[in-house]
Amino acid sequence: MSVTTAYVKRAFKYRFHPTDAQAAELSRTFGCVRKVYNLALAARTEAWARQERINYNATSAMLTAWKKTEELAYLNDVSSVPLQQTLRHLQNAFTHFFGKRSQYPRFKSRKKSRKSAEYTTSGFRFREGKLTLAKMTEPLDLVWSRPLPEGATPSTVTVSQDAAGRWFVSMLCEDPTVQPLPAADAAVGIDVGLDHLLTLSTGEKITNPRHERRDRTRLAKAQRALAKKGRGDGANRRKARIRVAKIYARIADRRRDLLHKLTTRLVRENQTLVIEDLTVRNMVKNHTLARAISDAGWSEFRSMLEYKAAWYGREVIAVDRFFPSSRLCSACGTLQKKMPLHVRTWTCDCGTVHDRDVNAAKNLLAAGLAVSVCGAGVRPQRSSPGGRSATKQKPPRREP
């Protein structure tokens, strides 16, 4: 009996430079994808108001009927594959909504929504390293920043254009190179912060590069220039908007690059990684710290850490956000009543001098290991009733 190996599905993203004809074709496709999505969402919303449900098959039949009308005949000019895919995406959105995992789907805006189109195997040809999409005669001019895994064949291809005008193609492939790493003896507690991006239970502190602050002057100047341009879709306003978008893209690229390097290193070196279960969405409501928290990328850091741990056979444990990691002495277990944010070092009654962040990382590690070993939660010590316990977080299946 042959045994089939289940490989990790991984997306490989590349820049490409389309010709004028390819750019025009893709722009038409993006517009048609958005139009079909909005039409199907409107139909499903009206049916919902009538207490009826419409599934993917019904919207697919509607798409066939829309193409036969004079008003929507232009839908026949683009490939039908991305149009069918956007209906599947809408079906998934409703599945998540009915499963109470997301909010009700929203309509796509022409100016604000992401420009993208997804092609399945029937909508593209990939041969000898050349990718040709449906309705196109020439392959895309890809910038091969890294090779695909040997023998890998894309199952889906997603083409997108960001706000800065850059074109990208993302190819989803099975990656045989992603295998569980040999078991390691090390475990680490990780405390995120603003003065230092990460503080480890080993005492190591990783500096917060503050990417947005480094480009704040250039960004403010570009935003002022954009604000002075008139309303509408004029050429000057479009150029000013792209200048702002390029600065934001530069900031995001640097942040993502650093987080990838940090998370890969932590996952390779440690078997167990313990973090704090922070609600970043609520924390950014603090207008004093919102900009700095967003620039630190805590949510993106956790997401990367979890899916890479799932890839390489590591364990990520999230300790309850109410666990008093900063106020608890890691040496004797004494709980301090108060610990204002400006207090960075403090001395316990037992005589131990603590660095606030290192002490928090050590306490997170101890709490996480208690969860991992005994399977029971660590009850947070706080005065208010109804405290929750530390829980192990199962990493989701994820493609980067």
Side-chain angles (χ1 to χ4, degrees), residues 216-276:
R216 189 171 294 177
T217 301
R218 293 177 61 235
L219 179 60
K221 181 178 179 180
Q223 288 175 326
R224 285 196 298 270
L226 175 61
K228 293 179 181 178
K229 299 294 184 291
R231 296 288 181 179
D233 293 328
N236 288 336
R237 181 176 179 82
R238 185 165 57 252
K239 292 177 183 178
R241 181 190 58 76
I242 292 177
R243 280 194 291 269
V244 173
K246 285 183 176 180
I247 298 175
Y248 273 119
R250 172 185 168 87
I251 294 170
D253 289 346
R254 290 203 309 253
R255 181 189 301 122
R256 191 179 304 110
D257 178 68
L258 175 64
L259 293 179
H260 270 300
K261 292 176 180 177
L262 289 176
T263 51
T264 299
R265 175 201 147 191
L266 290 172
V267 167
R268 290 187 180 276
E269 294 178 353
N270 300 278
Q271 181 66 35
T272 304
L273 305 102
V274 185
I275 58 177
E276 192 173 4

Side-chain angles (χ1 to χ4, degrees), residues 168 230 240:
F168 294 94

Side-chain angles (χ1 to χ4, degrees), residues 124-137:
F124 67 89
R125 183 175 67 253
F126 184 75
R127 294 177 184 173
E128 299 178 353
K130 295 183 178 180
L131 177 67
T132 306
L133 301 178
K135 298 286 186 177
M136 294 185 185
T137 57

Side-chain angles (χ1 to χ4, degrees), residues 16-32 78 115 117 119 133-141 159-161 165-168:
F16 75 94
H17 304 288
T19 63
D20 292 340
Q22 290 174 339
E25 175 64 29
L26 289 173
S27 296
R28 283 194 298 269
T29 302
F30 294 158
C32 292
V78 301
K115 299 178 181 179
Y119 294 80
L133 301 178
K135 298 286 186 177
M136 294 185 185
T137 57
E138 299 180 4
L140 300 180
D141 181 16
V159 182
S160 61
Q161 184 184 26
R166 303 180 300 177
W167 295 86
F168 294 94

Side-chain angles (χ1 to χ4, degrees), residues 251-388:
I251 294 170
D253 289 346
R254 290 203 309 253
R255 181 189 301 122
R256 191 179 304 110
D257 178 68
L258 175 64
L259 293 179
H260 270 300
K261 292 176 180 177
L262 289 176
T263 51
T264 299
R265 175 201 147 191
L266 290 172
V267 167
R268 290 187 180 276
E269 294 178 353
N270 300 278
Q271 181 66 35
T272 304
L273 305 102
V274 185
I275 58 177
E276 192 173 4
D277 187 20
L278 299 175
T279 52
V280 179
R281 181 179 298 180
N282 292 335
M283 297 177 71
V284 294
K285 294 179 181 179
N286 182 338
H287 300 295
T288 303
L289 300 176
R291 195 171 193 171
I293 292 174
S294 299
D295 188 29
W298 292 346
S299 296
E300 192 171 9
F301 167 77
R302 175 173 177 174
S303 176
M304 290 182 182
L305 198 68
E306 288 180 337
Y307 78 73
K308 290 181 182 181
W311 282 357
Y312 298 111
R314 302 312 199 199
E315 182 181 36
V316 175
I317 300 174
V319 175
D320 188 274
R321 66 183 67 95
F322 295 108
F323 181 72
S325 56
S326 299
R327 296 187 291 119
L328 191 65
C329 175
S330 58
C332 67
T334 302
L335 182 64
Q336 303 296 315
K337 293 183 178 180
K338 294 182 179 180
M339 188 67 60
L341 284 176
H342 68 273
V343 177
R344 308 316 301 174
T345 59
W346 58 281
T347 304
C348 181
D349 296 338
C350 67
T352 306
V353 179
H354 292 294
D355 178 285
R356 178 194 183 101
D357 298 331
V358 175
N359 177 67
K362 290 180 178 179
N363 286 325
L364 289 174
L365 175 60
L369 291 179
V371 174
S372 180
V373 172
C374 66
V378 178
R379 185 174 180 81
Q381 303 178 33
R382 56 176 181 153
S383 57
S384 59
R388 290 174 290 176

Side-chain angles (χ1 to χ4, degrees), residues 1 12 31 75 116 118 121 148 164 175 211 229 256 284 333 375-376 392 397:
M1 184 192 308
F12 293 82
L75 296 177
S116 66
E118 184 178 85
T121 51
L148 288 175
D175 189 358
H211 300 290
K229 299 294 184 291
R256 191 179 304 110
V284 294
K392 183 187 299 186
R397 295 183 64 184

